[in-house]
Every structure is written in C-alpha cells, then in structure tokens.
Amino acid sequence: MILSIESSCDDSAIAVTEIATKRLIFHKKISQEIEHARYGGVVPELASRLHAEALPKILEACRPWFPALKAVAVTNAPGLSVTLVEGVTMAKALGLALNVPLIGVDHLKGHIYSLFIEKPAVFPITVLLVSGGHTQVIEVRDLDDMTTVMRTMDDSFGESFDKVAKMMGLGYPGGPVIETLAKRGDPNRYAFPVPLQKRGELAFSYSGLKNAVRLAVEEADETDYPDIAASFQHIAVEHLYRKLRKYFKTHPPKRFAIVGGASANGYLRGRIEELLRPFGAPLLLAPLEYCADNAAMIGRAGIELFERGRFTAPGALHCAPKSEL
Ligand code: KG4
Ligand code: ZN
C-alpha cells in the first residue's frame, strides 16, 4: 500500500491506496473552508496551523495499514509553501519511522490522475485543468509526457469565481455559491466582454472580466446579484469555450477531460460537452468527490511514480510554489 498526503492549500487529506490493484482503501479530508470564509480567501498562516492540527488526526486512523506501507507520497508542488511544508514534514517523519521511501507528487499531475481513481488510465487525453490556482490546457500522453499548450496570463478560472463572490459578500469558496446563484439569474442581462476576444493568441485571462464585474456590482443592489452571477459565469465559460474551439481547429481532440475544483461546475460541463460533440470525443470527469483537492489523486499519481521507481531522498524533497507543468 501507499499512503498519500495533500496539504497544498486549504484541504488536509490523507489516503491509503493498494498498489497492485490501484484500489483506494481509505480517504479522509478535513477542509478549512469555514475558517477562511470570513476572510474571503485562504490565509496562508492560518491554513498552515490548521493543517498541523488536522493531519495528525487523520493519520491516527491510518495506523492499521502502517505495516503494509511500501512508500509515502506527498504533494510537494505547487502550492503555498507554508502549507506544503506541513504535509512534506509529516511524510519525512513517517518515512523515517516506518523505513519506507518518499515520493514527491506534483499537485497538477494529481488532478490529472483523479480521472483514473475509479477507472483505468487512457491516453492520449487533452485536459482542461480549472482550479483556484490554475487554468491550463495540457496534452497528456503519459505521466512523463505532458505539455501545457494554453495557460492563464493572470487570474485563474476558479479564482475569478472566488473574487466575484467576495465582491458580493458571499464568502469563500465562490465557485459553488456563484453557480447556485446563477441558476436564478439571466445570463444575458449584463454584456461583460469575453476576454482576449480580439487577440488571436491561445491563452486565458480573467482579470479584465473580474474588473468589469466589479463595476457592475458597485452599481447594483442585491436583487441584481443572480443576474450578475449568471452573466459572469456565462462569459467566464464562453472564454474557455472560444479558445478551445480555436485550438481544436488545429488539434482536434481524441478524448477530453476537465479536472480541478472548478470541474464540478455544471454549466461548464454542459458547454464543453456541446463543443466536443462534432468531434465524437468523450468527456472524462473525475468522480465529483475527487474534483476538488484530495489525497486519493495524489496516491493514484504516486503509484505511477512508485512503479517507475521514482523515489525522492528526504533531503531532496523540497516544497516548490510552482508546478513543472
Ligand atoms: O482544485 P481545487 O480544490 O483547489 C486548487 O487546487 O486550487 O479548486 C478550488 C477552486 C476554487 O477557486 C473554487 O471556487 C472552485 O475551485 N470551484 C468552482 C466550483 N466548485 C469549486 N468554480 C466554479 N464552479 C464550481 N461549481
Ligand atoms: Zn487543486
């Protein structure tokens, strides 16, 4: 078995996965959303302290599997340095105590392997990663053969939902609240500009849209919020839709996936399904409970590294704010 730890942002999670069958045996996550909600976003120092409390509690429940562990996998990049270090330090202590090797896992590769927690892996696959920290399109041919072909120049897709929710005083995380509010609103009431529309480059941008929404919120009262949420969500997704449509002209997808916390968004899923239809390309999604940050996906990616003998010496296991992707 492999034990995996995730602490890159505001979720403390540990999983145990059977190596031979890739079957998830145990997973527990303690989220800090309520603690960060009153600040309208993640406060790194607070997150770090909460990980230090939550991770040992979850680890206690994993004791029965300690004798069967062959490695400890841990997210070491990308993320907040002060929160990553909580998981990495625990992994190092466990490695020493149990005399097992360590495996550093890139969080983004974890999100990609969330697709294969309950299903066998299939390649090649074009992946749209939409989370609080990232918005990018990755051509995935194998664990070690991944190329980012489009990325955001500023804010991320999920982050823009968080910021719009904050403007309206709706708390954190913003994604689910905005999606729910948008169901009651008119997506055509506010004609927010589609980002980078006149620029041909294959890239994303959310800061301009965010500012346009800010101006609307300043002039609105609460009865307008559902329409603002619906119009914002529509344009945020329309931007992804148009850039992907352009990319597909030269790179038609064989199969496509959406991963990351914001892949839970139903409106996004529907629009991407529509975009894929003419290509006959299937849309792959992770089980809903593994869209947001979790340790099951880190364990799943960790097994791939384990099978390739890709261990990291404790002294070489560093926390890095940026991904290799
Ligand atoms: O992957 P994740 O749990 O953490 C990061 O690695 O960043 O993603 C969290 C992000 C947050 O920005 C949250 O607002 C967004 O995903 N999110 C959503 C939805 N659910 C979560 N964004 C849009 N619609 C949703 N339904
Ligand atoms: Zn994530």
Side-chain angles (χ1 to χ4, degrees):
M1 312 233 180
I2 195 168
L3 182 137
S4 52
I5 307 171
E6 159 64 36
S7 69
S8 67
C9 191
D10 59 343
D11 294 297
S12 317
I14 302 181
V16 176
T17 313
E18 193 172 59
I19 295 166
T21 59
K22 300 184 170 72
R23 196 165 57 93
L24 182 64
I25 307 286
F26 168 90
H27 181 245
K28 186 165 165 64
K29 164 164 129 171
I30 298 178
S31 294
Q32 310 171 353
E33 285 168 0
I34 296 167
E35 285 87 349
H36 295 290
R38 61 195 182 106
Y39 303 103
V42 177
V43 181
E45 282 299 325
L46 173 61
S48 177
R49 188 167 59 72
L50 293 171
H51 283 304
E53 285 168 19
L55 287 173
K57 274 191 208 155
I58 307 175
L59 189 66
E60 269 310 304
C62 300
R63 269 187 194 277
W65 295 290
F66 280 3
L69 294 183
K70 295 281 179 269
V72 175
V74 61
T75 305
N76 68 318
L80 302 167
S81 304
V82 293
T83 63
L84 286 168
V85 75
E86 294 295 333
V88 165
T89 305
M90 172 175 268
K92 288 180 182 178
L94 263 181
L96 274 176
L98 302 175
N99 197 25
V100 294
L102 304 178
I103 300 172
V105 178
D106 184 296
H107 181 80
L108 303 193
K109 289 194 175 181
H111 272 302
I112 292 169
Y113 273 86
S114 68
L115 296 166
F116 312 134
I117 292 171
E118 290 179 356
K119 285 187 200 147
V122 280
F123 301 108
I125 182 161
T126 309
V127 177
L128 170 65
L129 172 82
V130 272
S131 68
H134 297 84
T135 302
Q136 58 201 72
V137 178
I138 308 159
E139 290 290 4
V140 179
R141 289 163 295 265
D142 185 39
L143 175 75
D144 296 312
D145 191 356
M146 301 189 183
T147 316
T148 296
V149 292
M150 267 194 260
R151 65 174 82 237
T152 180
M153 308 190 311
D154 40 61
D155 293 354
S156 78
F157 179 82
E159 184 183 9
S160 70
F161 280 70
D162 295 334
K163 289 186 175 164
V164 166
K166 191 177 178 180
M167 288 171 207
M168 299 197 258
L170 300 174
Y172 170 88
V177 218
I178 295 289
E179 184 179 9
T180 307
L181 193 60
K183 292 201 169 101
R184 293 195 275 121
D186 172 5
N188 299 312
R189 159 120 183 256
Y190 290 86
F192 297 127
V194 180
L196 303 183
Q197 212 188 335
K198 294 198 186 73
R199 292 168 61 172
E201 71 222 79
L202 290 170
F204 303 114
S205 167
Y206 280 96
S207 66
L209 174 60
K210 173 188 70 187
N211 290 331
V213 174
R214 189 187 306 281
L215 293 177
V217 172
E218 278 167 12
E219 308 221 316
D221 63 51
E222 277 182 29
T223 57
D224 300 314
Y225 285 2
D227 292 343
I228 293 180
S231 305
F232 156 71
Q233 176 177 257
H234 169 60
I235 297 302
V237 170
E238 185 68 23
H239 177 37
L240 294 176
Y241 181 98
R242 290 191 192 178
K243 288 295 176 189
L244 282 169
R245 186 176 58 190
K246 185 174 168 78
Y247 177 69
F248 289 166
K249 281 191 183 145
T250 46
H251 300 81
K254 197 167 175 235
R255 41 178 97 75
F256 193 81
I258 322 176
V259 301
S263 69
N265 187 287
Y267 183 68
L268 170 65
R269 290 177 171 201
R271 291 301 308 279
I272 298 293
E273 260 168 17
E274 179 195 318
L275 182 61
L276 292 172
R277 215 164 286 137
F279 298 96
L283 175 63
L284 281 77
L285 296 159
L288 210 48
E289 57 189 309
Y290 304 125
C291 286
D293 289 349
N294 64 85
M297 68 187 195
I298 302 305
R300 183 62 189 81
I303 287 178
E304 297 296 317
L305 290 158
F306 180 91
E307 287 176 341
R308 290 162 172 83
R310 299 261 294 282
F311 304 109
T312 318
L317 187 59
H318 305 300
C319 302
K322 290 239 179 309
S323 166
E324 61 187 54
L325 287 178

